C-alpha cells in the first residue's frame, strides 16, 4: 500500500508575512499601528517571520 506524502499541502507557512499581498501587508501594519513602509523595513532587518517583526517593533518601542 502506498503512503501519501503529507509534507506539502499547497499552502504557505502561516507565520510568514506575504509581502506580495498588499491587503495582508496593510492589515498587519494596522495591527501593529505602523505604516506599511515600516513593516517592509522591519522585514529587511528582522526577517519575514511575523513573530520576529512584532519583536522588532517591541524592542524599538522603549528605545527612545
Amino acid at each position: 500500500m502506498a503512503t501519501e506524502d503529507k509534507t506539502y499541502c499547497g499552502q504557505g507557512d502561516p507565520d510568514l508575512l506575504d509581502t506580495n499581498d498588499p491587503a495582508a501587508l496593510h492589515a498587519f501594519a494596522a495591527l501593529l499601528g505602523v505604516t506599511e513602509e515600516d513593516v517592509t523595513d522591519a522585514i529587511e532587518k528582522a526577517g519575514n517571520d511575523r513573530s520576529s517583526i512584532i519583536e522588532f517593533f517591541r524592542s524599538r518601542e522603549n528605545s527612545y
Side-chain angles (χ1 to χ4, degrees):
M1 177 176 214
T3 59
E4 183 180 350
D5 183 17
K6 296 184 179 180
T7 57
Y8 179 73
C9 297
Q11 297 177 352
D13 187 357
D15 203 34
L16 296 179
L17 183 62
D18 183 11
T19 56
N20 294 326
D21 183 8
L25 190 63
H26 178 73
F28 192 68
L31 175 75
L32 296 175
V34 296
T35 66
E36 293 149 9
E37 185 176 289
D38 290 338
V39 172
T40 55
D41 290 342
I43 289 171
E44 291 176 6
K45 295 174 183 171
N48 199 19
D49 185 30
R50 290 177 191 263
S51 58
S52 297
I53 298 167
I54 292 170
E55 199 58 40
F56 175 78
F57 284 114
R58 283 187 181 156
S59 68
R60 288 185 56 202
E61 185 176 312
N62 296 322
S63 66
Y64 48 90

